[in-house]
Structure formats: C-alpha cells, structure tokens
Amino acid sequence: MPRVSQDQLDARRRQILAGARACFARHGYEGATVRRLEEETGLSRGAIFHHFRDKESLFLAVAEDDAAAMVATVAEHGLVQVMRDLLARADEPDQAGWLGTQLEVSRRLRTDPDFTKRWAARSEAIAAATRDRLIRQRDAGVLRADVPVQVLAQFLELAYDGLVLHLAMGRPAVDLEPVLDLAESVVRRQR
Amino acid sequence: MPRVSQDQLDARRRQILAGARACFARHGYEGATVRRLEEETGLSRGAIFHHFRDKESLFLAVAEDDAAAMVATVAEHGLVQVMRDLLARADEPDQAGWLGTQLEVSRRLRTDPDFTKRWAARSEAIAAATRDRLIRQRDAGVLRADVPVQVLAQFLELAYDGLVLHLAMGRPAVDLEPVLDLAESVVRRQR
C-alpha cells in the first residue's frame, strides 16, 4: 500500500473544505446532503468522512477556517477590515449563501449544548483578537479613552453581526461603505 | 347559521397569531408543522387556514405584527428604543426562538422572489420610520449634522440587525446596555 504524504492529506482536506463550503452555500445546512457533498467535493463519502466525523464536524471545520482567517485579519487590520472584506465580496453569491448557512444553525445554538460549545470557541477567538487589537490601539493613543475597551469591542462585534445578517438576507451591499466608516470612527479618539 | 361578528373574527385572528408565534419560536419555521400549529393555537387546521392562506402567509403575518409595533415605537422613541425593548425581553426563551425563525428564512430571501417581495415591504416600513424620525431630530437640532441622515439610519439598522443575530444565537444579553448607549450617542449632535 503506498504511503500517503502529509502534503497529500492536507491537500485532500482543503479540497473537501472548499467543496463543502460551496455545497452549504448553495443548499443550506439541511440541504447539503451526503450525495451533494460528494458531487461538490468530487470525492466519495468514504473519503470525506475519513477526514471529518460527520456533517456537523465538516460544517464547523469550514467555520473554523473562516475564524482563523478572521483572527489573522483582526490582529493586523481590525474587525472593520473584516467587514470591508465581506462587503468587497458581496457580489459573490456563495458568500451570502455561506453566511446564510451560519444563520440557519441559530436554533441549534440555543438548543444543542455540544454544538454551542464548539461554536463558542470560534466566536471567543475572534472576540479576544478584537479586544487585543483595541488595547494595542489604546496604548498607541489612537483609541477613544472615554469608553471601556470591552464596550468598544462589543460595539464592533454588533456591527459585524449586523453586516452578516444584512448580507445573508441578500440585502444590497451598495452604500454600506460610509456606514462602516462611521462605525470605525466611533472607536477612534474623538477630535 | 349564526353570524360571526367582526370582533369575534379579529379575536380569532389574534389567537392564531399568538399561537403561531409561540409555535415558530419553539420549533423553527420548518418544524412548525400543521399539527403543532393546531396544538399551539388550540384550533383546527380548517379554522387556521380559513384566516391564512398557508404557513408562509401565517409566518409573514406574525412578522408584519412585529413590524407594525416596531414602526410605532420607532416613530415615537427611535430604533434604539426598539433595541432596548428587545434587550429587556432577552430572558424570554420564545423571543430568541422567534428571532431565530427569522434567520432561518434567510435562504428563502435570496432564492424566492415572491417571499422576498413580501418581506421587503415590512423592512421598508421600518427603514422609512427610522429615516423620518432622524429627519425630525435633525430639524430639532439634536442630530449630528456632519453625516447624511441616510447613513445614520443605515448605521442604526446595522446595529439592530446585529442585536437580532446576537440574541437569536442565544448569546448573553447582559452588558449590552452600554453598547446601545454608545450606538445612540453616535447619531446625536457631537459635543
């Protein structure tokens, strides 16, 4: 039996995640059947579920990929930049679909403690990165000082959540740039 | 055959809407079967669908009830007050459930033009009330003048959407009061 290298395993995993993301985006969480996941990834169910325990794990792995990318962007450019990136890709139909899938699981987040716990780790990493960056900005003197950092962080997260809901519902993204400018100005040191 | 008065018809309609709201909140849009709608309303399917064409119409009627109440609150106290009211009722499990149901239909809003049109009328009424109130505030000199009213209105709507997503996902509502204070201060005339 030929040995499969780590590179090959990693490439296979990325192939599955990309196909799964497109599949969830197009068909929703419930609609992403195993047959459709096979079609979108180009792999058999055996190959897919060799890498991921079940559909829920696959979904959470795609979301964790997003979270890791978000944490990196937040650390370097802030949460508003993540929002600007979402806005720039608003024309891609799969983006709204994928965001919509995340809304679809909202009931699960209220009723399934195990799922909630796995999702919370993802949210907490983003929240922590947001707070850390704001603290660095405060120390550099560019952040407003009259509102606690925690409140500013929650404010940016609220705006981010609002943008996710807005885009997931297919509402127009045009004209939202000045709204993000305004949200960004809120956390800056006031003139 | 006894004549049914308009009052009786209206009371019956309200009874159906209240039961349907609880049913959607508890079971989600897909999970709110006709049998469960019968149980929650205490009425037969014949009685329910005498008043509403189908489940979608029933769902949109509950959402329209919300929208009418929101438009009234926005006109008198502003969209931030609507958010404060949501926050005050965050402990009621049915509230998060009902908000979650609205997220559940997000895919429909991207893929079903008829549904989208019926939902858009509801969103537009709230947006118009928000703009109208901000214009009155601007004329009264309490609104900041350096940002167009349209941008301020979209900013408040983004915060509202963010709160809906936050609560629908069952995330903690505690500590959000200062975040709403901050959002409200953004649209006010700056010191």
Side-chain angles (χ1 to χ4, degrees):
Chain A
M1 212 170 139
R3 250 184 101 145
V4 182
S5 74
Q6 188 60 45
D7 279 358
Q8 286 171 307
L9 283 172
D10 291 349
R12 177 60 53 93
R13 194 173 191 277
R14 281 195 302 276
Q15 177 185 355
I16 296 169
L17 288 174
R21 181 187 295 263
C23 189
F24 287 128
R26 275 167 214 162
H27 305 292
Y29 184 82
E30 298 301 335
T33 58
V34 172
R35 183 180 296 257
R36 281 174 171 158
L37 285 165
E38 288 182 317
E39 283 168 14
E40 295 273 4
T41 59
L43 294 167
S44 71
R45 62 194 68 200
I48 295 170
F49 296 112
H50 174 72
H51 287 263
F52 299 95
R53 197 176 64 197
D54 49 23
K55 189 167 92 170
E56 178 179 307
S57 297
L58 188 48
F59 173 77
L60 284 163
V62 180
E64 272 157 27
D65 256 18
D66 282 10
M70 266 181 78
V71 164
T73 303
V74 166
E76 197 165 357
H77 305 290
L79 192 53
V80 176
Q81 187 57 47
V82 174
M83 294 189 234
R84 294 194 194 281
D85 292 348
L86 277 182
L87 213 55
R89 293 196 308 271
D91 286 340
E92 299 170 17
D94 274 7
Q95 172 175 275
W98 167 243
L99 294 174
T101 306
Q102 298 178 51
L103 307 192
E104 220 188 311
V105 301
S106 67
R107 195 147 36 92
R108 209 107 175 245
L109 287 170
R110 295 190 307 278
T111 55
D112 178 340
D114 180 54
F115 184 84
T116 308
K117 208 169 139 191
R118 296 176 76 185
W119 186 269
R122 172 197 163 282
S123 307
E124 183 40 44
I126 297 163
T130 303
R131 278 195 308 273
D132 288 351
R133 181 172 155 89
L134 288 174
I135 288 168
R136 285 199 307 278
Q137 289 192 303
R138 188 195 57 193
D139 294 347
V142 295
L143 206 70
R144 71 190 288 169
D146 60 333
V147 176
V149 163
Q150 178 61 22
V151 174
L152 296 179
Q154 287 175 298
F155 168 80
L156 291 181
E157 285 167 47
L158 199 75
Y160 171 77
D161 284 342
L163 184 63
V164 167
L165 182 51
H166 184 103
L167 297 176
M169 293 213 162
R171 295 212 294 267
V174 70
D175 296 337
L176 278 186
E177 200 74 40
V179 181
L180 298 190
D181 292 342
L182 181 59
E184 189 163 39
S185 75
V186 171
V187 304
R188 285 213 207 99
R189 180 202 277 278
Q190 308 294 295
R191 287 155 304 174
Chain B
M1 208 172 139
R3 249 184 100 148
V4 181
S5 73
Q6 188 60 44
D7 279 356
Q8 285 171 307
L9 283 173
D10 290 350
R12 177 60 54 94
R13 194 173 190 279
R14 281 195 303 275
Q15 177 185 355
I16 296 169
L17 288 174
R21 179 187 296 263
C23 189
F24 286 129
R26 274 166 217 164
H27 306 291
Y29 184 83
E30 299 301 337
T33 58
V34 172
R35 183 180 296 258
R36 281 174 170 158
L37 285 165
E38 288 182 317
E39 283 168 15
E40 294 273 4
T41 59
L43 293 168
S44 71
R45 62 193 69 199
I48 296 170
F49 295 111
H50 174 73
H51 287 264
F52 299 95
R53 198 178 61 195
D54 49 25
K55 189 166 92 170
E56 177 179 306
S57 298
L58 188 49
F59 173 78
L60 284 162
V62 179
E64 272 157 26
D65 256 20
D66 282 9
M70 266 181 78
V71 164
T73 302
V74 167
E76 197 165 355
H77 305 289
L79 191 53
V80 176
Q81 187 57 46
V82 173
M83 293 188 235
R84 294 194 194 281
D85 292 348
L86 276 183
L87 214 54
R89 292 197 309 272
D91 286 340
E92 299 170 18
D94 274 8
Q95 172 173 279
W98 167 243
L99 294 175
T101 306
Q102 298 178 50
L103 307 193
E104 219 188 312
V105 301
S106 68
R107 196 148 34 93
R108 209 112 173 241
L109 287 170
R110 295 190 308 278
T111 56
D112 177 343
D114 181 54
F115 184 84
T116 308
K117 209 168 138 189
R118 295 175 76 186
W119 186 269
R122 172 197 162 283
S123 307
E124 184 39 45
I126 296 162
T130 303
R131 278 195 306 274
D132 288 352
R133 179 172 157 90
L134 288 174
I135 288 169
R136 287 199 306 279
Q137 289 192 303
R138 186 194 59 193
D139 294 348
V142 294
L143 207 70
R144 71 191 287 169
D146 60 334
V147 176
V149 163
Q150 178 61 22
V151 174
L152 296 179
Q154 286 176 296
F155 169 80
L156 290 181
E157 285 166 49
L158 200 74
Y160 171 78
D161 284 342
L163 184 63
V164 167
L165 182 51
H166 185 102
L167 296 177
M169 294 214 160
R171 294 213 294 266
V174 70
D175 297 336
L176 278 186
E177 201 72 41
V179 181
L180 298 190
D181 292 343
L182 180 60
E184 190 163 40
S185 76
V186 171
V187 304
R188 287 213 207 99
R189 179 203 277 278
Q190 309 294 296
R191 287 155 301 172

